Amino acid sequence: TAAQWLGWIRGHWGGVENRNHWRRDALLGEDGSRSRNATLLANLALLRNVLLQVMAPELEDQSLPQLREHLHSHPGRGLKLLACS
């Protein structure tokens, strides 16, 4: 039915917002960008998605904010993560 489709679509996009955009914004400051260049913003979103994927295996032991703080304190670890991916 139309109501079921509406529920599925809203559920899908609600999940995308919670899982993806919120993490990119709250943890990586995506919405703080002042640029209005659509190409730049799309490329930065792509890089943020890749970064979250690279960090995903490390998230089994700690939360994303904890990992972010750890990588701020140990930049060499972040470079090693990128090199191994």
Side-chain angles (χ1 to χ4, degrees):
T1 67
Q4 286 175 317
W5 274 103
L6 181 60
W8 289 333
I9 291 169
R10 284 186 176 162
H12 168 75
W13 286 112
V16 167
E17 177 68 21
N18 288 335
R19 286 187 309 270
N20 193 17
H21 178 75
W22 180 86
R23 293 187 321 163
R24 287 192 337 232
D25 182 34
L27 300 170
L28 303 173
E30 183 173 65
D31 287 349
S33 175
R34 298 184 65 146
S35 175
R36 297 295 171 243
N37 181 318
T39 303
L40 172 68
L41 294 173
N43 287 330
L44 288 173
L46 178 64
L47 289 173
R48 288 181 183 105
N49 285 338
V50 169
L51 181 60
L52 288 171
Q53 286 291 59
V54 167
M55 293 179 358
E58 301 294 318
L59 296 175
E60 295 174 4
D61 300 330
Q62 54 193 332
S63 70
L64 215 73
Q66 290 171 328
L67 178 59
R68 185 181 66 179
E69 291 301 317
H70 176 75
L71 294 175
H72 276 281
S73 302
H74 303 91
R77 177 72 179 123
L79 293 173
K80 189 181 285 187
L81 274 174
L82 291 174
C84 292
S85 297

